[in-house]
Amino acid sequence: MIEQRVMVLLYLVALSETFQQCFSFSNDQLVKPENVAYHKGSSIILPVSGNVYPKGYYHATVNIGNPPRSYFLDIDTGSDVTWLQCDAPCIKYFPPSHVTINKPSLPVISAPHPLYKPSKDIVKCNDPFCALFHWPNSVPSKSPEEQCDYEVVYADHGSSLGVLIRDVFPLKMTNDNTAFPRLAFGCGYNQEVANGVPPPCTDGVLGLGNGKSTILAQLRKLGLMQNVFGHCFSAQGGGYLFIGDNILPSSEIVWAPMSRKFSKDHYSLGPSELRFDGQATGVKGIPVIFDSGSTYTYFGYRAYRALLYMLKKNLNQYQFEDANDDKTLPVCWKSTKAFNSIHDVKNLFKPLILSFPNSKNVQLQLSPEAYLIVSDRGNVCLGILNGADVGLEGTIIIGDISMQDKSVIYDNEKQQIGWVSANCDRLQMPS
């Protein structure tokens, strides 16, 4: 959501009445429900752009409206709310910086329309979706006919305030059918970022959490596709996002059950044990959460200190020293000559392994490429941050850096998360 953003896992959703009179509607033509074609057992594929460094985020290109226009939405598995910056009064918005890309095997991404013009289909307070969105809290409105407002506040202090509306999402399916469902999402007219943080270069956020109000849950309820999705972020930049269950990658996927005990609202695998170069670290019982809304990975204080100790002990045999003048990330090292890429140093660092005692023989391996970057100053920097700095004392957050060149699948139907190494530069359909 912001360049090199702090994780956006934790969020609050609250009703706001302050800005109710600020919203107005356009005269966009509506698509009638009878024109929507539903097809079970299919999927959609969305092109992805961005990178971990220097941009700090990956975003999907989503078509919305009639006629459809393309918008860039930050991919966030750590929240349920999908919202889009709106062309409406009282707006405070971020001017997005868009580019056109064309990657082999993926659709051409054209420059999106800068601001979304809202449809007339407003979600009202008496709409069941409004109650679902605000669950478990009640909907504090003066009249059932009032608009259903939303406010989402992220852990990095960014926020979006607006109203819930519905509009057409044209979906080109992998079975060559096209559907035009009307889906509810946030039309944001007041966005904020923390002081000193550069504004994002996206149009909004695609919330892919496991709540009942997400775009995913709505597609499932309409009978359009299963509540299964996955992303494949390339370390070279770009990738793809798929929604649906019929284009899962190979049978080599490692599956682990989601854990509701440690986190009811996020994609958690429960407690883990940390190993460094195959050796035990003594760090056990720390729950792991997958959050694509976080650029970097976060370790709780105990795991972070153990990791730093082992990394520095390992680096003592090489000509590395602290690069305290490089503020790219909290911990950077330099050598006698500048590094050009991560390939220059990956053989000098050791792999990390997270094993899950509650899931027999399940391990998540983090190669050096999954936790290091090379800064624009030619130093190697640690892409695992101290979770204590953002209030995560005893949790591990797996961010984008550790999910690169992996197909990561979130199966909300079977309540499991899977991953497998993949070439995210090119989509390979299963045979």
Side-chain angles (χ1 to χ4, degrees), residues 321-330 332-334 377 379:
E321 59 182 87
D322 293 340
N324 296 321
D325 57 338
D326 191 338
K327 304 302 180 182
T328 302
L329 287 173
C332 294
W333 297 281
K334 60 185 176 181
R377 302 185 65 173
N379 302 317

Side-chain angles (χ1 to χ4, degrees), residues 10 38 81 91 104 106 108 170 300 311 424 428:
L10 306 175
Y38 302 121
V81 185
I91 195 168
L106 291 177
V108 175
L311 284 173
C424 298
Q428 295 182 344

Side-chain angles (χ1 to χ4, degrees), residues 367-388:
S367 64
E369 299 96 317
Y371 66 85
L372 299 171
I373 68 163
V374 171
S375 73
D376 59 5
R377 302 185 65 173
N379 302 317
V380 60
C381 299
L382 180 61
I384 296 177
L385 308 184
N386 186 359

